Amino acid sequence: MRNIINNAYNTSNANGASTANNAHNGTTNSDFAVSVTGLTKAFGDVNVLQGVDFTITRGEIFALLGSNGAGKTTTINILSTLLKPDAGNVTVCGFDALLHAEKVRENISLTGQFAAVDTMLTGRENVVLIAKLRGIPKSSEVADKLLADFGLTDAANRLVSTYSGGMTRRLDIAMSLVGTPSVIFLDEPTTGLDPEARLEVWRMVKNLANTGTTILLTTQYLDEAEQLADRIAILHAGKIIANGTLQELKKLLPPAKREYIEKQPSLEDIFLAITHNTRSECDERDEQVKHSKEVA
Amino acid sequence: MKMLRDTYALFGRLLKHVLRSPDTIITVTIMPVAIMLLFVYVFGGAIETGADNYVNYMLPGILLMSIASGTAYTSVRLFSDREKGLFARFNSMPISRSSLLIAHVLVSIVSGLVTVFIITAIALIMGFRTNAGILQLLTALAVLTLFMFALTWLAVIAGLGAKSVDGASAFSYPLIFLPFISSAFVPTDTMPFAVRVFAEHQPVTSIVDAIRSLLCATPAYNAIWVSIAWCVAISVVGWLVGRRVR
Ligand SMILES: Nc1ncnc2c1ncn2[C@@H]1O[C@H](COP(=O)(O)OP(=O)(O)OP(=O)(O)O)[C@@H](O)[C@H]1O
Ligand SMILES: [Mg+2]
């Protein structure tokens, strides 16, 4: 049964563009790429997660918001089988994260909070290594394509220790896409990036979602969740205190906070307007900036 | 099958680390070679060992010293993999569980062997001569490799348990100096009683005696077995503790 579900899912993923279909397929367990119920986790005396429940529909972009220390990384680490929960049920692509950790690993990829790249290798060697470990036959072709997608072709044969923070993060995400995993965990993918690099990551996340990939991302930026997420959950004091679409959440937020959110993009616009001319990074980025100006 | 594939890929990656930072081999080689030069050309005349060739006498101890300092880099590599989140990345992927650690252990041994060959070549220039047969040479190499294997497990504990890079490499310092309180440079019977008891019952003495006897083509089987027992014991303890740390 589980295998059938999984195969069906992989097929739809390979065909691409299944975002819309999945949401209306009924309500069996197979519709959920991720399902978490009653999840608890403590580190010594610190009860980080105290009964977390949420589900992520296939093909959805799901944002997990929370302040520092809320337990976002802990949740992601449990979902990606790096940590064992104290209690609760965690299912990814129909597989129990404890009982079938290996199956879960075959279906996911993790982009951790801090870029996990080998700085002693070139960008290309990093991607090829992941491809080999995932057992992908044409590892160097896959690597070339991904590096091109992320604007890293020119830097591909340079040691990663010479990369900028933005390039490192792009490589980090590129490595996570090797083998087209069906669920991707992005832990604060844009923290530490300049606004232009952020926009680029956003564009990439949207593209991924368009191919049917399920994405769970954590963030501390409300505008990021606003821009990207189909659904947003807020993790606070060990529990999910809110979960819904942006429209649903807006009804919950006090007006003062909304004002803050609306101010943020305008500062960003000013920043982008005065910095993008003096930049030498790739043209695509500039287009993105112009586009965002037009929207504003 | 998958285990071999994953180990091979991760081994290749770590080997690039070693090749791209030749300082890891150079620093590991320079200190023991300097000590060898110092002992042979400065103190050598004053040291009475009963051996007619002092380079022959001290080479085993020098080799152990270089192996000990080389494993510090193993520890640092493990530490940085953990610190940079690469362990998390690999462990969230469908790879064979043990391949990551095996790759680290293999690279540790390969770079240890390279160091051993470089130092032996320098010793040959300085007058090291052996009349050991091929079997005895291979046995000596096997004992050295076993010693590398044992220390590598200590490096695994240090690398996975350390809080800082310095902490990760610090475990090797006492090991590097262990040869000084052993039969490596002077016979133990001139040492004060307490020091002598320690020297005669620590692993370096039996390993040095074993290798020295093999290089002289007069194998001391007792020392060889004791060396092997030490190395196996250290490896087992290291492996058991290392698994917990992970
Ligand atoms: N291995 C650990 N040992 C002890 N405490 C831990 C461990 N990992 C996390 N914690 C604690 O658990 C809490 C939640 O950490 P977590 O990293 O999940 O938060 P986060 O929401 O990702 O925060 P941030 O936004 O800063 O990344 C924190 O108080 C942290 O100190
Ligand atoms: Mg975090």
Side-chain angles (χ1 to χ4, degrees):
Chain A
M1 180 62 183
R2 276 192 161 143
N3 268 328
I4 297 169
I5 291 166
N6 188 45
N7 287 340
Y9 180 41
N10 281 341
T11 315
S12 77
N13 194 31
N15 290 340
S18 59
T19 322
N21 302 337
N22 283 331
H24 307 289
N25 265 349
T27 50
T28 56
N29 208 18
S30 64
D31 278 341
F32 297 126
V34 173
S35 153
V36 175
T37 39
L39 175 62
T40 67
K41 178 74 189 177
F43 294 105
D45 295 340
V46 192
N47 295 311
V48 180
L49 305 177
Q50 305 172 24
V52 168
D53 303 292
F54 64 88
T55 53
I56 306 177
T57 309
R58 300 205 152 153
E60 186 173 60
I61 302 180
F62 184 89
L64 191 59
L65 296 181
S67 40
N68 288 131
K72 305 181 294 293
T73 300
T74 305
T75 306
I76 284 205
N77 284 347
I78 291 172
L79 287 171
S80 39
T81 76
L82 294 175
L83 267 182
K84 287 191 168 48
D86 294 341
N89 255 311
V90 176
T91 315
V92 180
C93 293
F95 296 107
D96 188 291
L98 270 182
L99 300 175
H100 303 283
E102 188 65 23
K103 283 282 172 199
V104 171
R105 288 182 206 122
E106 281 169 18
N107 284 282
I108 62 156
S109 90
L110 166 67
T111 308
Q113 185 164 356
F114 306 100
V117 297
D118 190 334
T119 50
M120 298 275 282
L121 301 185
T122 66
R124 195 164 184 285
E125 285 168 339
N126 267 286
V127 185
V128 169
L129 173 69
I130 300 296
K132 280 188 180 154
L133 290 174
R134 284 201 182 266
I136 289 161
K138 293 178 177 171
S139 52
S140 62
E141 282 171 36
V142 170
D144 287 338
K145 183 172 183 313
L146 274 168
L147 288 164
D149 286 352
F150 283 81
L152 290 170
T153 305
D154 292 341
N157 293 319
R158 253 166 55 198
L159 288 186
V160 175
S161 51
T162 67
Y163 282 21
S164 72
M167 291 163 80
T168 306
R169 196 52 166 174
R170 276 185 278 157
L171 175 67
D172 190 39
I173 298 174
M175 284 160 75
S176 291
L177 304 191
V178 174
T180 53
S182 43
V183 181
I184 293 186
F185 303 124
L186 297 168
D187 197 357
E188 300 194 22
T190 63
T191 302
L193 295 189
D194 66 37
E196 290 182 40
R198 252 178 103 199
L199 287 176
E200 206 165 303
V201 171
W202 287 4
R203 184 172 54 86
M204 176 230 83
V205 169
K206 284 176 184 160
N207 285 345
L208 264 181
N210 285 336
T211 65
T213 308
T214 308
I215 294 160
L216 165 58
L217 67 89
T218 74
T219 181
Q220 300 187 24
Y221 306 115
L222 302 182
D223 58 326
E224 184 160 299
E226 200 174 320
Q227 283 287 322
L228 289 178
D230 298 316
R231 225 142 45 80
I232 299 164
I234 298 173
L235 180 60
H236 184 74
K239 288 208 159 77
I240 301 287
I241 54 163
N243 184 347
T245 62
L246 180 63
Q247 295 312 316
E248 288 164 351
L249 291 191
K250 268 186 175 164
K251 292 173 194 152
L252 302 171
L253 289 175
K257 234 180 189 155
R258 257 167 72 187
E259 208 175 318
Y260 168 72
I261 298 165
E262 283 161 6
K263 266 184 177 168
Q264 193 82 331
S266 67
L267 174 63
E268 197 168 22
D269 270 353
I270 297 167
F271 180 91
L272 291 170
I274 55 181
T275 55
H276 91 278
N277 284 335
T278 57
R279 289 235 160 197
S280 59
E281 294 263 352
C282 60
D283 301 342
E284 273 177 54
R285 269 199 190 181
D286 288 352
E287 271 172 40
Q288 190 78 32
V289 175
K290 279 175 203 143
H291 178 69
S292 78
K293 271 162 69 186
E294 280 162 26
V295 170
Chain B
M1 198 44 223
K2 188 172 148 205
M3 207 270 267
L4 286 182
R5 183 195 75 197
D6 295 343
T7 306
Y8 180 69
L10 293 166
F11 173 77
R13 155 185 179 254
L14 289 169
L15 206 57
K16 282 179 189 145
H17 282 220
V18 176
L19 294 175
R20 283 173 194 177
S21 50
D23 57 298
T24 54
I25 299 274
I26 293 168
T27 7
V28 163
T29 323
I30 274 184
M31 200 265 294
V33 166
I35 289 175
M36 188 156 68
L37 290 169
L38 201 67
F39 270 73
V40 170
Y41 296 119
V42 183
F43 310 141
I47 297 174
E48 192 46 64
T49 60
D52 47 4
N53 181 334
Y54 191 56
V55 182
N56 281 5
Y57 187 84
M58 73 180 303
L59 180 62
I62 292 292
L63 291 177
L64 297 196
M65 200 179 253
S66 69
I67 290 169
S69 66
T71 49
Y73 284 98
T74 305
S75 182
V76 168
R77 281 192 292 268
L78 277 151
F79 176 81
S80 95
D81 270 11
R82 198 196 63 191
E83 201 65 6
K84 286 183 186 161
L86 283 162
F87 274 2
R89 163 157 249 147
F90 295 138
N91 283 334
S92 70
M93 288 171 55
I95 66 166
S96 147
R97 297 287 83 187
S98 45
S99 55
L100 189 52
L101 215 47
I102 296 177
H104 273 280
V105 172
L106 284 179
V107 167
S108 178
I109 288 175
V110 167
S111 54
L113 287 173
V114 170
T115 316
V116 163
F117 287 126
I118 294 176
I119 292 183
T120 308
I122 295 172
L124 277 169
I125 298 169
M126 289 172 62
F128 162 66
R129 293 295 176 267
T130 174
N131 46 0
I134 187 77
L135 201 64
Q136 285 152 346
L137 284 178
L138 286 178
T139 312
L141 202 56
V143 173
L144 286 174
T145 308
L146 210 54
F147 183 66
M148 289 172 205
F149 186 74
L151 294 197
T152 297
W153 282 109
L154 299 185
V156 167
I157 300 175
L160 296 182
K163 302 266 185 292
S164 68
V165 195
D166 293 335
S169 58
F171 87 99
S172 69
Y173 301 156
L175 299 177
I176 294 170
F177 286 96
L178 227 39
F180 286 111
I181 318 167
S182 79
S183 62
F185 304 125
V186 290
T188 53
D189 43 19
T190 60
M191 296 175 184
F193 180 73
V195 181
R196 191 173 127 196
V197 169
F198 174 80
E200 286 177 355
H201 295 90
Q202 62 124 325
V204 168
T205 294
S206 41
I207 299 170
V208 161
D209 290 348
I211 291 170
R212 198 179 277 152
S213 70
L214 284 161
L215 293 181
C216 298
T218 51
Y221 292 104
N222 191 36
I224 295 173
W225 289 120
V226 173
S227 311
I228 293 173
W230 267 114
C231 293
V232 170
I234 297 171
S235 308
V236 168
V237 171
W239 178 69
L240 289 174
V241 179
R243 267 169 28 133
R244 281 174 180 272
V245 176
R246 198 149 75 109

